[in-house]
Amino acid sequence: MYRGRIAPTPTGLLHLGHARTFAQAAAFARAANGKLVLRIEDLDAARCKPHFTTSAIEDLIWLGIHWQEGPGCGGPHAPYIQSQRVTWFNEVWKMLQASGTIYPCDKSRQDVERALVAPHAEDDAEPIFPTTLRPDNHAGKEATSPGNSNWRFRVPDSENIYFDDSIQGPQSFTAGKDFGDFLIWRKDGMPSYEMAVVADDHAMDITHVVRGADLLKSTARQILLYRALNWTIPQWSHVPLINDANGQRLSKRAAGLSIQELRNKGLTPAEVLTAPVVSLIGK
Ligand code: GLU
């Protein structure tokens, strides 16, 4: 049974890029006679605001995107709000700890702050964590809880991580070169984006992940987590990003293309989802 999901982060208004990616996720689920789950990824307490969750839900409804599990409809995997799922994330930390792939690490505050949100293209310039700073294999082995430390995943140096993306085709990233040991846990008791998304896609039995192409490299990191946890990897579909007339990527920060604004300008859901982007920018 196909189970897809849409997973907005309520740090701002949904924009055109979100709308089209989510519509694609909904269309794939519908075509496969499957289910769509709505999950709110609000781990970044400082930047996520409840009113952005409310407006995201309103926008999704207005766009005609329907989900069968999640806020507003409940379901067997509740809660669907990540900030309410920390008990589960602690369990997954224990599983990773048992797999021997993680270690405690103290690193700059900025690095750690960034770990809570998905690394979208413009900010995935994360420096590769130097292997010289990696502790020996025994570090943290006796820990039974994450405590007050950040924790990193030890990547298999030089190994190529392959996956076949249903939209982008075959992909390959090299551990230690394209990305290094990445944060899975923050010392304030929250999992990183990479860990939380894997924990929840697994817990919610997600079979198909449809999201923006800026998360391709994250997928390679996530595959390593699936492997360490011995979990089945979903099928990946990364939707091309939308650019404006100057080739600039649209993002939440780009003025004028929030769904609310497009709605207020009198556009219909069909126009928002299908009209050429250049024609929407000018409106
Ligand atoms: N909440 C994440 C985001 O805003 C979702 C990423 C994903 O779909 O895995 O980008």
Side-chain angles (χ1 to χ4, degrees), residues 5 7-9 41 118 120 193 197 211 215:
R5 61 17 167 224
T9 300
E41 304 211 320
H120 290 287
Y193 156 72
V197 83
R211 60 186 172 198
L215 290 171

Side-chain angles (χ1 to χ4, degrees), residues 1-6 20-38 64-69 166-167 204-211 235 237 239:
M1 156 76 138
Y2 183 114
R3 289 177 57 84
R5 61 17 167 224
I6 48 182
R20 293 194 174 186
T21 300
F22 294 157
Q24 181 71 78
F28 282 162
R30 206 168 42 242
N33 247 327
K35 282 201 168 160
L36 191 66
V37 175
L38 172 63
I65 294 173
H66 303 293
W67 58 99
Q68 290 73 47
E69 277 179 35
S166 81
I167 298 175
M204 295 176 183
D205 294 325
I206 300 304
T207 59
H208 290 72
V209 169
V210 180
R211 60 186 172 198
Q235 172 66 56
S237 305
V239 180

Side-chain angles (χ1 to χ4, degrees), residues 77-126:
H77 304 287
Y80 292 88
I81 313 267
Q82 279 192 325
S83 58
Q84 298 170 14
R85 299 179 58 78
V86 177
T87 310
W88 165 236
F89 299 137
N90 274 280
E91 279 177 43
V92 178
W93 177 88
K94 287 201 175 103
M95 297 178 210
L96 283 172
Q97 168 72 337
S99 77
T101 52
I102 59 173
Y103 60 86
C105 165
D106 280 311
K107 196 58 176 53
S108 80
R109 177 132 53 109
Q110 196 199 16
D111 242 33
V112 173
E113 274 169 5
R114 284 210 313 225
L116 276 180
V117 286
H120 290 287
E122 73 262 30
D123 42 40
D124 194 16
E126 179 180 322

Side-chain angles (χ1 to χ4, degrees), residues 169-189:
Q171 303 292 316
S172 163
F173 293 93
T174 306
K177 182 165 154 268
D178 293 317
F179 60 90
D181 291 1
F182 56 91
L183 280 163
I184 60 113
W185 197 270
R186 305 186 351 151
K187 59 179 163 202
D188 63 359

